[in-house]
PDB file of all heavy atoms in Angstrom:
ATOM      1  N   MET A  10     -20.348 -46.191 -49.371  1.00 92.00           N
ATOM      2  CA  MET A  10     -19.349 -47.212 -49.184  1.00 92.00           C
ATOM      3  C   MET A  10     -18.229 -46.768 -48.245  1.00 92.00           C
ATOM      4  O   MET A  10     -17.784 -47.440 -47.350  1.00 92.00           O
ATOM      5  CB  MET A  10     -18.730 -47.691 -50.467  1.00 92.00           C
ATOM      6  CG  MET A  10     -17.671 -48.753 -50.365  1.00 92.00           C
ATOM      7  SD  MET A  10     -18.246 -50.293 -49.514  1.00 92.00           S
ATOM      8  CE  MET A  10     -18.998 -51.123 -50.774  1.00 92.00           C
ATOM      9  N   VAL A  41     -16.895 -60.544 -45.585  1.00 93.00           N
ATOM     10  CA  VAL A  41     -17.092 -61.752 -46.446  1.00 93.00           C
ATOM     11  C   VAL A  41     -18.489 -62.341 -46.160  1.00 93.00           C
ATOM     12  O   VAL A  41     -19.224 -62.591 -47.066  1.00 93.00           O
ATOM     13  CB  VAL A  41     -15.981 -62.820 -46.203  1.00 93.00           C
ATOM     14  CG1 VAL A  41     -16.276 -64.103 -46.941  1.00 93.00           C
ATOM     15  CG2 VAL A  41     -14.616 -62.200 -46.595  1.00 93.00           C
ATOM     16  N   ILE A  52      -9.361 -62.650 -48.209  1.00 89.00           N
ATOM     17  CA  ILE A  52      -8.833 -62.620 -46.863  1.00 89.00           C
ATOM     18  C   ILE A  52      -7.487 -63.341 -46.765  1.00 89.00           C
ATOM     19  O   ILE A  52      -6.541 -62.906 -46.081  1.00 89.00           O
ATOM     20  CB  ILE A  52      -9.833 -63.254 -45.854  1.00 89.00           C
ATOM     21  CG1 ILE A  52     -11.174 -62.455 -45.866  1.00 89.00           C
ATOM     22  CG2 ILE A  52      -9.272 -63.311 -44.439  1.00 89.00           C
ATOM     23  CD1 ILE A  52     -10.998 -61.031 -45.459  1.00 89.00           C
ATOM     24  N   ILE A  58      -0.275 -60.611 -47.598  1.00 88.00           N
ATOM     25  CA  ILE A  58       0.284 -59.306 -47.846  1.00 88.00           C
ATOM     26  C   ILE A  58       0.622 -58.568 -46.565  1.00 88.00           C
ATOM     27  O   ILE A  58       1.719 -57.938 -46.499  1.00 88.00           O
ATOM     28  CB  ILE A  58      -0.674 -58.461 -48.735  1.00 88.00           C
ATOM     29  CG1 ILE A  58      -0.707 -59.064 -50.119  1.00 88.00           C
ATOM     30  CG2 ILE A  58      -0.297 -57.011 -48.826  1.00 88.00           C
ATOM     31  CD1 ILE A  58      -1.713 -58.456 -51.047  1.00 88.00           C
ATOM     32  N   THR A  59      -0.280 -58.620 -45.613  1.00 88.00           N
ATOM     33  CA  THR A  59      -0.012 -57.924 -44.318  1.00 88.00           C
ATOM     34  C   THR A  59       1.152 -58.447 -43.579  1.00 88.00           C
ATOM     35  O   THR A  59       1.840 -57.785 -42.821  1.00 88.00           O
ATOM     36  CB  THR A  59      -1.281 -57.928 -43.460  1.00 88.00           C
ATOM     37  OG1 THR A  59      -1.664 -59.313 -43.184  1.00 88.00           O
ATOM     38  CG2 THR A  59      -2.398 -57.132 -44.066  1.00 88.00           C
ATOM     39  N   ALA A  70      -3.976 -54.349 -43.188  1.00 94.00           N
ATOM     40  CA  ALA A  70      -5.203 -54.979 -43.493  1.00 94.00           C
ATOM     41  C   ALA A  70      -6.271 -53.957 -43.860  1.00 94.00           C
ATOM     42  O   ALA A  70      -7.049 -54.201 -44.873  1.00 94.00           O
ATOM     43  CB  ALA A  70      -5.657 -55.859 -42.345  1.00 94.00           C
ATOM     44  N   GLY A  84      -8.982 -46.866 -48.975  1.00 95.00           N
ATOM     45  CA  GLY A  84      -7.776 -47.243 -48.205  1.00 95.00           C
ATOM     46  C   GLY A  84      -7.416 -46.193 -47.123  1.00 95.00           C
ATOM     47  O   GLY A  84      -7.166 -46.556 -45.953  1.00 95.00           O
ATOM     48  N   PRO A  94      -9.347 -45.160 -32.839  1.00 93.00           N
ATOM     49  CA  PRO A  94      -9.561 -45.703 -31.474  1.00 93.00           C
ATOM     50  C   PRO A  94      -8.366 -45.856 -30.639  1.00 93.00           C
ATOM     51  O   PRO A  94      -8.344 -45.469 -29.462  1.00 93.00           O
ATOM     52  CB  PRO A  94     -10.288 -47.013 -31.709  1.00 93.00           C
ATOM     53  CG  PRO A  94     -10.867 -46.928 -33.044  1.00 93.00           C
ATOM     54  CD  PRO A  94      -9.932 -46.064 -33.834  1.00 93.00           C
ATOM     55  N   ALA A 104      -3.105 -39.651 -20.211  1.00 80.00           N
ATOM     56  CA  ALA A 104      -3.511 -38.507 -19.331  1.00 80.00           C
ATOM     57  C   ALA A 104      -3.835 -39.017 -17.903  1.00 80.00           C
ATOM     58  O   ALA A 104      -3.605 -38.296 -16.950  1.00 80.00           O
ATOM     59  CB  ALA A 104      -4.773 -37.880 -19.938  1.00 80.00           C
ATOM     60  N   PRO A 107      -1.314 -41.968 -14.075  1.00 67.00           N
ATOM     61  CA  PRO A 107      -0.945 -41.837 -12.648  1.00 67.00           C
ATOM     62  C   PRO A 107      -2.122 -42.233 -11.737  1.00 67.00           C
ATOM     63  O   PRO A 107      -1.865 -42.654 -10.585  1.00 67.00           O
ATOM     64  CB  PRO A 107      -0.566 -40.444 -12.511  1.00 67.00           C
ATOM     65  CG  PRO A 107      -0.200 -39.931 -13.825  1.00 67.00           C
ATOM     66  CD  PRO A 107      -1.031 -40.682 -14.805  1.00 67.00           C
ATOM     67  N   ILE A 110      -4.319 -47.900 -10.733  1.00 64.00           N
ATOM     68  CA  ILE A 110      -3.564 -48.724  -9.765  1.00 64.00           C
ATOM     69  C   ILE A 110      -3.082 -49.924 -10.506  1.00 64.00           C
ATOM     70  O   ILE A 110      -3.847 -50.856 -10.811  1.00 64.00           O
ATOM     71  CB  ILE A 110      -4.510 -49.112  -8.586  1.00 64.00           C
ATOM     72  CG1 ILE A 110      -5.075 -47.908  -7.893  1.00 64.00           C
ATOM     73  CG2 ILE A 110      -3.723 -50.046  -7.644  1.00 64.00           C
ATOM     74  CD1 ILE A 110      -6.192 -48.193  -6.894  1.00 64.00           C
ATOM     75  N   ASN A 113      -3.160 -53.622  -8.988  1.00 73.00           N
ATOM     76  CA  ASN A 113      -4.487 -54.194  -8.643  1.00 73.00           C
ATOM     77  C   ASN A 113      -4.677 -55.591  -9.219  1.00 73.00           C
ATOM     78  O   ASN A 113      -4.481 -55.783 -10.403  1.00 73.00           O
ATOM     79  CB  ASN A 113      -5.553 -53.238  -9.162  1.00 73.00           C
ATOM     80  CG  ASN A 113      -6.933 -53.611  -8.768  1.00 73.00           C
ATOM     81  OD1 ASN A 113      -7.195 -54.778  -8.435  1.00 73.00           O
ATOM     82  ND2 ASN A 113      -7.824 -52.652  -8.802  1.00 73.00           N
ATOM     83  N   ALA A 119      -7.640 -59.363 -15.410  1.00 80.00           N
ATOM     84  CA  ALA A 119      -8.272 -59.054 -16.591  1.00 80.00           C
ATOM     85  C   ALA A 119      -7.407 -59.171 -17.839  1.00 80.00           C
ATOM     86  O   ALA A 119      -7.793 -59.655 -18.888  1.00 80.00           O
ATOM     87  CB  ALA A 119      -8.986 -57.572 -16.559  1.00 80.00           C
ATOM     88  N   SER A 126      -7.738 -65.191 -24.280  1.00 83.00           N
ATOM     89  CA  SER A 126      -8.812 -65.209 -25.416  1.00 83.00           C
ATOM     90  C   SER A 126      -8.189 -64.848 -26.752  1.00 83.00           C
ATOM     91  O   SER A 126      -8.622 -65.373 -27.728  1.00 83.00           O
ATOM     92  CB  SER A 126      -9.917 -64.145 -25.037  1.00 83.00           C
ATOM     93  OG  SER A 126      -9.377 -62.876 -25.013  1.00 83.00           O
ATOM     94  N   SER A 145      -0.291 -79.128 -49.768  1.00 77.00           N
ATOM     95  CA  SER A 145       0.539 -80.277 -50.171  1.00 77.00           C
ATOM     96  C   SER A 145       1.188 -80.835 -48.985  1.00 77.00           C
ATOM     97  O   SER A 145       1.174 -80.339 -47.843  1.00 77.00           O
ATOM     98  CB  SER A 145       1.597 -79.787 -51.165  1.00 77.00           C
ATOM     99  OG  SER A 145       2.528 -78.968 -50.575  1.00 77.00           O
ATOM    100  N   PHE A 147       4.358 -81.082 -48.668  1.00 76.00           N
ATOM    101  CA  PHE A 147       5.447 -80.203 -48.333  1.00 76.00           C
ATOM    102  C   PHE A 147       5.021 -79.123 -47.296  1.00 76.00           C
ATOM    103  O   PHE A 147       5.800 -78.837 -46.381  1.00 76.00           O
ATOM    104  CB  PHE A 147       6.020 -79.521 -49.583  1.00 76.00           C
ATOM    105  CG  PHE A 147       7.210 -78.642 -49.330  1.00 76.00           C
ATOM    106  CD1 PHE A 147       8.429 -79.227 -48.967  1.00 76.00           C
ATOM    107  CD2 PHE A 147       7.041 -77.251 -49.340  1.00 76.00           C
ATOM    108  CE1 PHE A 147       9.493 -78.334 -48.718  1.00 76.00           C
ATOM    109  CE2 PHE A 147       8.110 -76.453 -49.051  1.00 76.00           C
ATOM    110  CZ  PHE A 147       9.320 -77.027 -48.739  1.00 76.00           C
ATOM    111  N   SER A 150       5.021 -80.686 -43.935  1.00 78.00           N
ATOM    112  CA  SER A 150       6.350 -80.849 -43.421  1.00 78.00           C
ATOM    113  C   SER A 150       6.992 -79.579 -42.897  1.00 78.00           C
ATOM    114  O   SER A 150       7.711 -79.549 -41.933  1.00 78.00           O
ATOM    115  CB  SER A 150       7.288 -81.537 -44.457  1.00 78.00           C
ATOM    116  OG  SER A 150       7.465 -80.622 -45.569  1.00 78.00           O
ATOM    117  N   ILE A 151       6.697 -78.441 -43.622  1.00 78.00           N
ATOM    118  CA  ILE A 151       7.138 -77.166 -43.152  1.00 78.00           C
ATOM    119  C   ILE A 151       6.538 -76.846 -41.839  1.00 78.00           C
ATOM    120  O   ILE A 151       7.250 -76.290 -40.893  1.00 78.00           O
ATOM    121  CB  ILE A 151       6.843 -76.052 -44.251  1.00 78.00           C
ATOM    122  CG1 ILE A 151       7.654 -76.257 -45.453  1.00 78.00           C
ATOM    123  CG2 ILE A 151       7.066 -74.643 -43.667  1.00 78.00           C
ATOM    124  CD1 ILE A 151       9.153 -76.031 -45.241  1.00 78.00           C
ATOM    125  N   CYS A 153       5.401 -78.921 -39.544  1.00 81.00           N
ATOM    126  CA  CYS A 153       6.038 -79.831 -38.515  1.00 81.00           C
ATOM    127  C   CYS A 153       7.442 -79.299 -38.152  1.00 81.00           C
ATOM    128  O   CYS A 153       7.853 -79.325 -36.935  1.00 81.00           O
ATOM    129  CB  CYS A 153       6.129 -81.244 -39.028  1.00 81.00           C
ATOM    130  SG  CYS A 153       4.523 -82.002 -39.185  1.00 81.00           S
ATOM    131  N   LEU A 157       8.616 -78.152 -34.478  1.00 82.00           N
ATOM    132  CA  LEU A 157       9.773 -78.738 -33.903  1.00 82.00           C
ATOM    133  C   LEU A 157      10.816 -77.679 -33.516  1.00 82.00           C
ATOM    134  O   LEU A 157      11.439 -77.721 -32.448  1.00 82.00           O
ATOM    135  CB  LEU A 157      10.359 -79.781 -34.810  1.00 82.00           C
ATOM    136  CG  LEU A 157      11.619 -80.616 -34.323  1.00 82.00           C
ATOM    137  CD1 LEU A 157      11.207 -81.457 -33.134  1.00 82.00           C
ATOM    138  CD2 LEU A 157      12.122 -81.421 -35.504  1.00 82.00           C
ATOM    139  N   THR A 184      11.358 -73.242 -59.086  1.00 83.00           N
ATOM    140  CA  THR A 184      11.729 -72.592 -60.357  1.00 83.00           C
ATOM    141  C   THR A 184      12.342 -73.527 -61.376  1.00 83.00           C
ATOM    142  O   THR A 184      12.063 -73.432 -62.556  1.00 83.00           O
ATOM    143  CB  THR A 184      12.760 -71.418 -60.070  1.00 83.00           C
ATOM    144  OG1 THR A 184      13.089 -71.363 -58.727  1.00 83.00           O
ATOM    145  CG2 THR A 184      12.249 -70.151 -60.579  1.00 83.00           C
TER     146      THR A 184
END
Side-chain angles (χ1 to χ4, degrees):
M10 179 58 80
V41 175
I52 299 298
I58 289 172
T59 58
I110 303 169
N113 184 337
S126 65
S145 68
F147 181 74
S150 64
I151 291 293
C153 292
L157 182 65
T184 1

